[in-house]
Amino acid sequence: QVQLVESGGGLVQAGGSLRLSCAASGRTFSGYAMGWFRQAPGEEREFVATINWSTRATYYADSVKGRFTISRDNAKNTVYLQMNSLKPEDTAVYYCAAAPGTADSLRLGADYWGQGTQVTVSS
């Protein structure tokens, strides 16, 4: 059974930082792109960042470029999202995602999703 388990969410003041982690298990993730999406109240889920398995090529939403950094440790099947200079509009439930293929294609949808972790940024 595939599981993606997120951790690291919480409450932080604007300008602060958080680091999200997502541990994947249940199958081999070789060749799988991994990434992060988020969903704010009343909004649709949106792409945040994705990363390739082998090349570690990355893609970012324009709204987080320069502030968020995605990385992965393939030996641990874990993907990270370092979030700096957080803004109140970053408040959302953040979901880890995985799919075979490229980081580019993952932006369009995932085969596997985590349960989500809440990030709240106060002004």
Side-chain angles (χ1 to χ4, degrees):
Q1 179 181 359
V2 173
Q3 282 192 311
L4 303 180
V5 180
E6 303 98 335
S7 61
L11 173 64
V12 64
Q13 288 188 331
S17 298
L18 283 174
R19 189 193 194 208
L20 305 183
S21 299
C22 171
S25 62
R27 63 156 299 135
T28 178
F29 285 89
S30 175
Y32 272 62
M34 296 186 73
W36 295 91
F37 291 70
R38 68 186 181 186
Q39 187 168 19
E43 303 289 333
E44 293 187 354
R45 188 176 299 186
E46 65 175 4
F47 152 75
V48 175
T50 56
I51 185 168
N52 267 350
W53 166 263
S54 56
T55 67
R56 289 181 168 77
T58 57
Y59 291 85
Y60 294 95
D62 288 343
S63 58
V64 306
K65 280 180 183 176
R67 300 188 298 121
F68 291 11
T69 302
I70 188 170
S71 61
R72 65 188 295 168
D73 183 336
N74 288 343
K76 296 181 179 179
N77 281 339
T78 300
V79 63
Y80 306 96
L81 186 68
Q82 179 66 43
M83 306 185 293
N84 299 328
S85 302
L86 282 161
K87 305 175 181 180
E89 51 263 44
D90 294 318
T91 295
V93 177
Y94 283 70
Y95 296 91
C96 179
T102 67
D104 190 12
S105 62
L106 177 58
R107 294 186 296 167
L108 303 179
D111 287 12
Y112 302 109
W113 295 93
Q115 81 288 351
T117 186
Q118 177 70 47
V119 171
T120 303
V121 184
S122 63
S123 57

